[in-house]
Amino acid sequence: SQKIEQNSEALNIQEGKTATLTCNYTNYSPAYLQWYRQDPGRGPVFLLLIRENEKEKRKERLKVTFDTTLKQSLFHITASQPADSATYLCAPANQAGTALIFGKGTTLSVSS
Amino acid sequence: DAGVIQSPRHEVTEMGQEVTLRCKPISGHNSLFWYRQTMMRGLELLIYFNNNVPIDDSGMPEDRFSAKMPNASFSTLKIQPSEPRDSAVYFCASSLAGTRSHEQYFGPGTRLTVT
């Protein structure tokens, strides 16, 4: 069955450092992969989408990579800030439609 | 735009009662999704609609769950009868299918507690 794993449920880093979150998937060949941010008590918010033919995508301090050979996506936040503290979810998606399967998420805590 | 609107925001009910959750998607969006989130299972897709038609309901846990989308601006998720294990946060999301973006916009969720 399709499986999505995100590294460690929690990640704690110091302000100013780069946070790297991992998303691995198995039994799956997604056409693209999305990353979302979720704050406590709120719904997920879309951050970035990367397609299978793209190696890397950037948006301000965010960078996403997508390695279809390793079946892995990495999500980087550079110069992290306490405001970046949240849960980050990855969601690979298939070719046929827009149905998403979400990983359980990694909770990032950035301390000042 | 007000974004995706869900009601109620909180629902507490007793086992065996019927529960109806409501969702108004973003105007112009043609895809609507119902998700359930728990600590144990994470965010799970229950059902999604394209142009008001159910496309995939394989995530609906059992016959006690049903969803409808009578028009482009309204959808309901009904649980009858409810059970304690249905306690979770239920999210509705909408998107514009057929674009390159595919991003989904989530509502604030309904926190359901079944006692």
Side-chain angles (χ1 to χ4, degrees):
Chain A
S1 61
Q2 297 169 340
K3 191 175 181 181
I4 300 164
E5 289 185 349
Q6 293 192 239
N7 67 318
S8 66
E9 292 185 0
L11 182 64
N12 301 307
I13 65 169
Q14 286 277 330
E15 182 176 10
K17 302 292 186 183
T18 295
T20 299
L21 286 63
T22 304
C23 176
N24 295 296
Y25 55 91
T26 54
N27 298 322
Y28 211 167
S29 296
Y32 56 94
L33 188 146
Q34 300 186 26
W35 282 89
Y36 286 75
R37 168 182 173 143
Q38 186 174 23
D39 291 285
R42 293 178 174 267
V45 175
F46 172 81
L47 295 175
L48 278 171
L49 177 149
I50 186 166
R51 299 178 188 280
E52 60 180 338
N53 60 350
E54 298 175 318
K55 296 295 184 186
E56 182 179 298
K57 189 72 92 54
R58 291 176 184 262
K59 179 182 178 182
E60 298 172 352
R61 295 184 296 110
L62 308 180
K63 185 179 84 171
V64 173
T65 62
F66 193 9
D67 190 325
T68 55
T69 301
L70 291 179
K71 294 187 181 296
Q72 180 181 80
S73 175
L74 299 179
F75 179 82
H76 306 272
I77 305 175
T78 58
S80 59
Q81 304 166 0
D84 295 327
S85 298
T87 297
Y88 293 86
L89 306 165
C90 75
N94 60 26
Q95 186 81 41
T98 56
L100 295 177
I101 300 176
F102 283 86
K104 288 189 176 180
T106 297
T107 297
L108 173 67
S109 296
V110 182
S111 55
S112 55
Chain B
D1 200 317
V4 175
I5 299 172
Q6 290 187 247
S7 65
R9 292 294 311 276
H10 302 273
E11 177 80 37
V12 180
T13 190
E14 291 183 349
M15 182 174 65
Q17 295 297 308
E18 177 180 297
V19 175
T20 299
L21 311 181
R22 297 173 176 78
C23 174
K24 176 178 168 53
I26 291 174
S27 177
H29 281 187
N30 55 6
S31 292
L32 183 141
F33 309 82
W34 282 101
Y35 294 90
R36 178 173 67 176
Q37 188 173 41
T38 61
M39 289 292 291
M40 287 293 293
R41 300 175 68 89
L43 193 61
E44 303 173 280
L45 176 69
L46 299 176
I47 184 172
Y48 80 96
F49 297 82
N50 273 355
N51 296 316
N52 312 338
V53 177
I55 302 300
D56 183 356
D57 65 354
S58 60
M60 296 286 261
E62 47 198 276
D63 291 345
R64 297 184 297 106
F65 286 69
S66 63
K68 293 182 179 180
M69 192 164 187
N71 57 61
S73 59
F74 184 66
S75 177
T76 59
L77 178 67
K78 185 177 293 187
I79 308 172
Q80 166 65 18
S82 58
E83 297 182 3
R85 59 191 168 124
D86 301 330
S87 297
V89 180
Y90 290 80
F91 288 102
C92 174
S94 69
S95 72
L96 186 58
T99 67
R100 285 182 57 82
S101 176
H102 294 293
E103 67 181 273
Q104 295 186 12
Y105 295 81
F106 283 76
T110 294
R111 181 173 294 277
L112 174 65
T113 303
V114 183
T115 60

